[in-house]
């Protein structure tokens, strides 16, 4: 595509986004939505369109300013609410902490550790499983995009070593399944990425919060079962030729044996483990001073760990080089989209907009008479389809008032549905607009065609969808009731 065509397409999308905004701001309100509600909807749909087809950074910033001039709140308050939100700052410092871990070579160590276990010898499917588990663990430790940028070069080298070709089905399947495993890691961690914004919006709407520990227990179970399901699907349904690695030996991948972890790597690994324990403990501890203190520090502990990492030095060098790490690993597109989405999501459900009554009118005929089981399955499937078309955070936030209204009418808890819906909204990688992972896959045209991605990514995503329904429903009801 020529640069001239790209430029003209960009301009067209900007115009369409502006038209969407103006239509909602100028047209008469549609009862029960109020004029303010129409302006909020205009901001939402305009920004969603811009996120999908233009960019994520500047539309997020403009969305915050538009919210400030819509009449919902003053501009200064909109900026403070979005950019000063504790969750947004927590995400930034988590990126710095995990970025320091990547910079220290700890992720490379973890990846090679999984690939060089003796259990892989002569067991190509065990080896495949270990690769997927490595991607999952790395994504939990850092960011899914970071894990892919680390694992892909290792896999490319492995392909060359075992004389696997780009057109081989196993090569294509492995590259896409590794991305799927990384996506599952993204869906497991409620303290980074899009999930904190969904959790925050759920608390604002329902008045109750989702504890990290039960969510992570459910997510880990669903993720590991999904990884096993993917391996089964690859082996028995897709059945690629794996003769090249049939007699694989770990020594072939262990030409440079792993050295013991350095002091810096150990400290950073301990810091990550300490952080994860800290954010999970309030879900386990009984009511009391300790729990209250840990809850109060939930959003500040990452900042404290980064500060200590910058202060402590090994051989004259700080454990965390703040400027170096933040310039390399801070994903500002994610930070700003979270900031903007939190603001807009809260505005959508505010009193005086009429949007909640509108949702009641729309959804009541669709879900009326449905059992809680059927409704939950419908919510999961609808969320899964929509999240593979556009931003998962927005889909998660749009689903919250819908399933909350239904569960209120049914006099039942919305928590089990929330956990499964939030998990499945993270399983997005089929289209380029669905997530950064989807964009990476479609951008890797040297190894993957669009046909390959739509074929295999759909298979793996649907496998996870089925696991979420079949395994997730009994598991989440067992854990949270």
């Amino acid at each position: 595509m020529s640069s001239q065509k790209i430029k003209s397409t960009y301009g067209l999308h900007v115009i369409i986004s502006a038209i969407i905004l103006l239509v909602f701001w100028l047209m008469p309100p549609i009862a029960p939505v109020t004029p303010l509600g129409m302006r909020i909807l205009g901001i939402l749909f305009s920004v969603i369109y811009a996120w999908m087809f233009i960019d994520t950074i500047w539309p997020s910033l403009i969305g915050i300013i538009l919210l400030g001039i819509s009449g919902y709140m003053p501009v200064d308050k909109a900026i403070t609410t979005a950019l000063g939100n504790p969750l947004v700052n927590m995400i930034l410092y988590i990126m710095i902490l995990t970025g320091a871990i990547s910079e220290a070579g700890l992720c490379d160590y973890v990846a090679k550790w999984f690939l060089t276990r003796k259990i892989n010898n002569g067991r190509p499917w065990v080896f495949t499983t270990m690769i997927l588990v490595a991607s999952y663990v790395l994504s939990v430790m850092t960011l899914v995009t970071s894990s892919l940028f680390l694992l892909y070069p290792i896999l490319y080298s492995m392909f060359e070593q075992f004389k696997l070709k780009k057109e081989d089905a196993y090569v294509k399947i492995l590259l896409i399944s590794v991305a799927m495993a990384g996506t599952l890691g993204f869906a497991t961690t409620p303290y980074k990425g899009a999930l904190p914004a969904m959790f925050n919006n759920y608390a604002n709407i329902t008045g109750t919060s989702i504890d990290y520990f039960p969510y992570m227990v459910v997510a880990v179970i669903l993720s590991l079962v999904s990884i096993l399901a993917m391996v089964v699907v690859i082996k028995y349904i897709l059945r690629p030729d794996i003769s090249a690695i049939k007699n694989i030996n770990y020594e072939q991948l262990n030409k440079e044996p792993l050295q013991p972890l350095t002091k810096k790597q150990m400290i950073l690994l301990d810091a990550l483990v300490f952080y994860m324990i800290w954010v999970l403990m309030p879900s386990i501890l009984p009511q009391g001073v300790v729990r209250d203190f840990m809850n109060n520090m939930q959003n500040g502990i990452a900042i404290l760990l980064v500060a200590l990492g910058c202060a402590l030095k090994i051989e004259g060098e700080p454990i965390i080089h703040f400027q170096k790490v933040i310039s390399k690993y801070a994903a500002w597109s994610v930070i700003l989209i979270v900031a903007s989405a939190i603001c807009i999501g809260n505005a959508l459900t505010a009193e005086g907009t009429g949007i909640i009554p509108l949702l009641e009118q729309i959804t009541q005929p669709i879900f009326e008479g449905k059992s809680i089981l059927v409704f939950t399955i419908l919510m999961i499937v609808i969320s899964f389809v929509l999240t593979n078309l556009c931003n998962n955070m927005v889909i998660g936030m749009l689903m919250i008032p819908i399933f909350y209204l239904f569960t209120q009418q049914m006099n039942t808890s919305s928590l089990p549905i929330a956990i499964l819906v939030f998990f499945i909204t993270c399983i997005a990688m089929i289209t380029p607009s669905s997530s950064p992972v989807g964009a990476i896959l479609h951008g890797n045209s040297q190894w993957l065609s669009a046909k390959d991605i739509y074929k295999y990514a759909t298979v793996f995503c649907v496998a996870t969808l089925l696991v979420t329904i079949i395994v997730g429903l009994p598991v989440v009801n067992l854990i949270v009731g």
Side-chain angles (χ1 to χ4, degrees), residues 132 177 180-181 184 226-235 460:
L132 299 186
S177 60
M180 183 69 228
L184 290 167
S226 294
I227 288 173
L228 291 175
M230 282 195 291
V231 175
V232 170
V233 167
I234 296 169
K235 182 178 181 180
F460 297 140

Side-chain angles (χ1 to χ4, degrees), residues 98-99 101-102 107 137-144 146-147 192 272:
T98 57
I101 289 171
S102 297
C107 291
V137 171
L138 289 173
S139 181
V140 170
M141 288 176 60
T142 58
L143 301 174
V144 59
S146 299
S147 68
K192 56 188 175 77
L272 179 63

Side-chain angles (χ1 to χ4, degrees), residues 448-462:
L448 299 168
S449 68
K451 181 180 177 182
D452 297 327
I453 298 166
Y454 286 120
K455 177 182 177 181
Y456 296 124
T458 301
V459 169
F460 297 140
C461 286
V462 170

